[in-house]
Amino acid sequence: MEFKVNSECSEKQSSDCIVIGIFESGGFSPSAEKVNKISHGYLKGLPQNADLQGKAEQALLLHHVPHVAAERVLLIGCGKEEEELDERRYKKLIKKMVNTLKETGAKNVFCYLPELKVKGKDIDWKIRSAIEVIQDVLYCFDHYKSTKTLHALNQITFIVTPTQTKAAQTAIQEGIALAVGINEAKNLANTPPNICNPAYLNASAKKWAEKFKNVRVSVVNEDEMKKLGMNAYLAVGQGSKNESLMSIIEYKSDKIPAGTKPIVLVGKGMTFDSGGISIKPSQNMDEMKYDMCGAATVFGVMNVVAELNLPLYVIGVLAGAENMPGGNAYRPGDILTTLSGQTVEVLNTDAEGRLVLCDALTYVERFDPELVIDIATLTGACVVALGHHMSGLMSNHAPLAEDLLHASEQSGDLAWRLPLGEEYQEQLDSNFADMANIGGRTAGAITAGCFLSRFTHQYHWAHLDIAGTAWRTGKEKGATGRPVALLSQFLLNKALAQKQGA
């Protein structure tokens, strides 16, 4: 898909379709007024039937509108003119546009929808968000289907005013990079677990890194983990024939000052989670290939950072492992000595992600990070608390939490902060070790965050529980690519601050 920006009069330029907005009670957007004028009142003359009421997300496709060069004109209902659009409604209009265009066979489209007023949002946001929605609607994971999904649509030009052109061009660059990063995360997450194992994660990172001179990939294998004392990480994967591998992607811009500390992203990469000895119910267990969506997110974000060549130092960790039952699997009742030296009593082998992450979080201390963010499909309890709308956020540093929440609002990839009080820490008490790996049924997402917080005393840290947002279930089963947009916005903000401080 190709995206362009144009400030010229597209009604007089040849194209397959132009897309304009109309409102209830016959109200026209500025572009619709132009088309109506050029067509000598053709739009006003249309009967106000059920197909043309201007209600939100209605669509009407017109063919051969008089004096308009485009073969078709697509009218998108935008609701009441006096009601300013919010982010969600704007994205729904873009989605309606794409779904309608897919059925027309149109290849080359001029889109005026970014002219619509969206509360608190500028042209940059509107175009970036449009690209993100368009690519999401057109995304299809058909790698393993004998018949591929095809669509004609291959170019969308956003029509803006001359004063908006520069910002719009930047927005297209960022929007394309973001969409690529999201799609890379989706592709990795949707890959079946018989193919996507920890070695596949590492190979994917290495192959991708070949495109960039400032990206380096290394790996910590099981032998190195044993030497280091990463016993919690190793325990989780010891029931699987697939070796646990922690892949490390290092991106370092040549535009950063000497001595800059890295931002570290740690992604849980359980390429399949059976639950181990504490085995999961068989229903929907196929979806446990998505337990590596944290690692997929990190990979997607690293794509965005490298494509935009952001003036940052970012390290991405893909903490790959597979949790399987077997004669060599770890058990409930085992006590593990973590890389930090703290001991953990295993009460449930299905609380495995935190055991992998705790050693990974200790490992990254060696990078002397500015901050660390871990991303994990960690708890079903977070889905109960926040549903599938928001990711759970916990942090030991209020300014970092605020920056992430601000980025979530900017991107529309929402998160909600949960507490990390001492009273929750007490739920992790163990009779036989420094802590247990679960804290009981209540506040499960929070006690999981509390567990991780015990391994993050050396730096500012935040935890994103994406169990409810990383994939869709049921008929529309598939990875969402969240929270690539949130973290990419966070890093774009960091890059802007770095530029302004230079």
Side-chain angles (χ1 to χ4, degrees):
M1 171 64 72
E2 184 179 7
F3 295 98
K4 294 183 176 182
V5 61
N6 194 338
S7 60
E8 297 177 9
C9 184
S10 67
E11 310 89 76
K12 297 182 179 180
Q13 298 180 54
S14 178
S15 69
D16 292 332
C17 187
I18 63 173
V19 183
I20 55 181
I22 60 171
F23 299 98
E24 290 185 38
S25 304
F28 286 169
S29 65
S31 57
E33 288 283 8
K34 285 183 183 178
V35 171
N36 187 59
K37 183 177 180 181
I38 290 170
S39 64
H40 301 161
Y42 182 82
L43 298 186
K44 283 285 187 184
L46 291 171
Q48 298 297 307
N49 57 27
D51 293 327
L52 190 64
Q53 293 181 343
K55 291 183 178 179
E57 298 176 69
Q58 280 189 331
L60 180 63
L61 189 66
L62 306 176
H63 294 265
H64 307 296
V65 175
H67 311 295
V68 174
E71 291 183 16
R72 312 169 185 87
V73 174
L74 176 59
L75 305 179
I76 297 292
C78 302
K80 295 178 180 178
E81 189 170 4
E82 63 273 16
E83 292 181 2
E84 199 170 23
L85 292 172
D86 60 18
E87 302 165 31
R88 193 161 172 264
R89 286 173 59 201
Y90 174 77
K91 290 181 178 181
K92 282 187 172 184
L93 298 184
I94 299 294
K95 185 175 181 178
K96 181 65 177 180
M97 174 192 77
V98 183
N99 281 323
T100 304
L101 289 172
K102 278 172 33 177
E103 304 301 320
T104 67
K107 297 179 181 180
N108 175 22
V109 173
F110 289 153
C111 176
Y112 276 97
L113 295 186
E115 74 180 353
L116 299 171
K117 293 180 180 179
V118 182
K119 188 175 181 180
K121 300 301 180 182
D122 57 14
I123 192 66
D124 178 271
W125 181 91
K126 286 186 280 189
I127 288 181
R128 274 180 50 190
S129 296
I131 292 172
E132 185 181 341
V133 172
I134 291 164
Q135 294 289 55
D136 182 57
V137 174
L138 296 178
Y139 175 82
C140 179
F141 188 78
D142 56 7
H143 297 45
Y144 301 96
K145 289 190 174 186
S146 55
T147 303
K148 305 300 182 184
T149 302
L150 301 174
H151 58 80
L153 189 60
N154 61 28
Q155 181 178 296
I156 293 182
T157 301
F158 297 107
I159 309 302
V160 299
T161 66
T163 57
Q164 294 174 328
T165 301
K166 185 176 180 180
Q169 288 171 338
T170 300
I172 284 179
Q173 182 185 13
E174 292 178 353
I176 290 172
L178 178 59
V180 168
I182 289 172
N183 281 353
E184 289 294 341
K186 288 180 182 178
N187 288 339
L188 204 56
N190 285 327
T191 301
N194 59 315
I195 294 170
C196 183
N197 54 33
Y200 183 88
L201 292 180
N202 183 251
S204 298
K206 284 182 175 177
K207 183 178 180 180
W208 164 78
E210 292 173 359
K211 298 189 297 182
F212 303 98
K213 64 179 181 179
N214 53 356
V215 176
R216 185 172 66 90
V217 176
S218 58
V219 66
V220 180
N221 60 27
E222 288 187 352
D223 288 339
E224 292 173 82
M225 290 183 192
K226 288 173 186 174
K227 292 175 185 176
L228 290 167
M230 300 177 70
N231 301 307
Y233 195 136
L234 286 167
V236 171
Q238 69 190 33
S240 172
K241 68 177 183 179
N242 292 311
E243 182 180 9
S244 296
L245 296 172
M246 185 168 68
S247 302
I248 299 170
I249 307 171
E250 185 176 5
Y251 165 88
K252 194 170 188 178
S253 170
D254 54 10
K255 300 176 183 178
I256 59 172
T260 297
K261 294 183 177 183
I263 295 168
V264 178
L265 307 176
V266 180
K268 175 186 171 185
M270 300 305 303
T271 56
F272 190 76
D273 178 22
S274 68
I277 298 299
S278 307
I279 197 163
K280 293 177 180 289
S282 59
Q283 185 177 7
N284 298 330
M285 196 195 283
D286 60 290
E287 295 181 10
M288 286 301 97
K289 70 177 185 177
Y290 293 121
D291 211 19
M292 46 66 69
C293 282
T297 293
V298 172
F299 183 64
V301 173
M302 297 305 289
N303 267 266
V304 177
V305 171
E307 288 287 348
L308 293 177
N309 195 25
L310 296 183
L312 297 172
Y313 182 14
V314 185
I315 295 175
V317 178
L318 315 183
E322 187 177 46
N323 186 21
M324 298 291 284
N328 199 41
Y330 79 128
R331 298 151 292 230
D334 284 359
I335 292 180
L336 311 173
T337 302
T338 67
L339 178 58
S340 71
Q342 298 176 88
T343 58
V344 179
E345 181 187 10
V346 177
L347 299 184
N348 188 326
T349 64
D350 194 24
E352 85 301 327
R354 65 200 71 183
L355 298 175
V356 167
L357 288 174
C358 74
D359 276 351
L361 290 169
T362 302
Y363 181 89
V364 301
E365 288 178 9
R366 67 192 56 214
F367 300 127
D368 188 23
E370 175 190 345
L371 59 92
V372 177
I373 304 168
D374 78 73
I375 308 98
T377 50
L378 205 61
T379 66
C382 196
V383 186
V384 174
L386 298 175
H388 300 285
H389 307 294
M390 297 187 182
S391 300
L393 168 65
M394 284 155 266
S395 181
N396 63 9
H397 187 59
L400 173 57
E402 289 167 7
D403 287 347
L404 284 166
L405 289 173
H406 179 57
S408 85
E409 291 167 0
Q410 288 176 289
S411 63
D413 188 353
L414 299 177
W416 189 265
R417 191 177 183 186
L418 298 171
L420 282 176
E422 196 61 36
E423 56 272 28
Y424 295 107
Q425 295 279 1
E426 294 172 2
Q427 292 181 227
L428 295 169
D429 289 348
S430 164
N431 289 350
F432 308 110
D434 295 331
M435 69 195 85
N437 76 324
I438 58 173
R441 292 188 64 187
T442 60
I446 295 171
T447 54
C450 287
F451 181 94
L452 295 178
S453 73
R454 298 185 180 201
F455 302 86
T456 62
H457 297 306
Q458 301 305 313
Y459 45 73
H460 296 151
W461 159 82
H463 160 62
L464 285 169
D465 191 330
I466 61 171
T469 56
W471 79 92
R472 300 183 186 96
T473 190
K475 186 179 178 181
E476 296 187 354
K477 181 173 68 174
T480 64
R482 294 181 64 184
V484 171
L486 187 165
L487 290 168
S488 297
Q489 185 62 57
F490 172 80
L491 293 173
L492 281 165
N493 293 344
K494 283 283 185 182
L496 181 60
Q498 171 76 22
K499 184 178 179 181
Q500 291 175 340

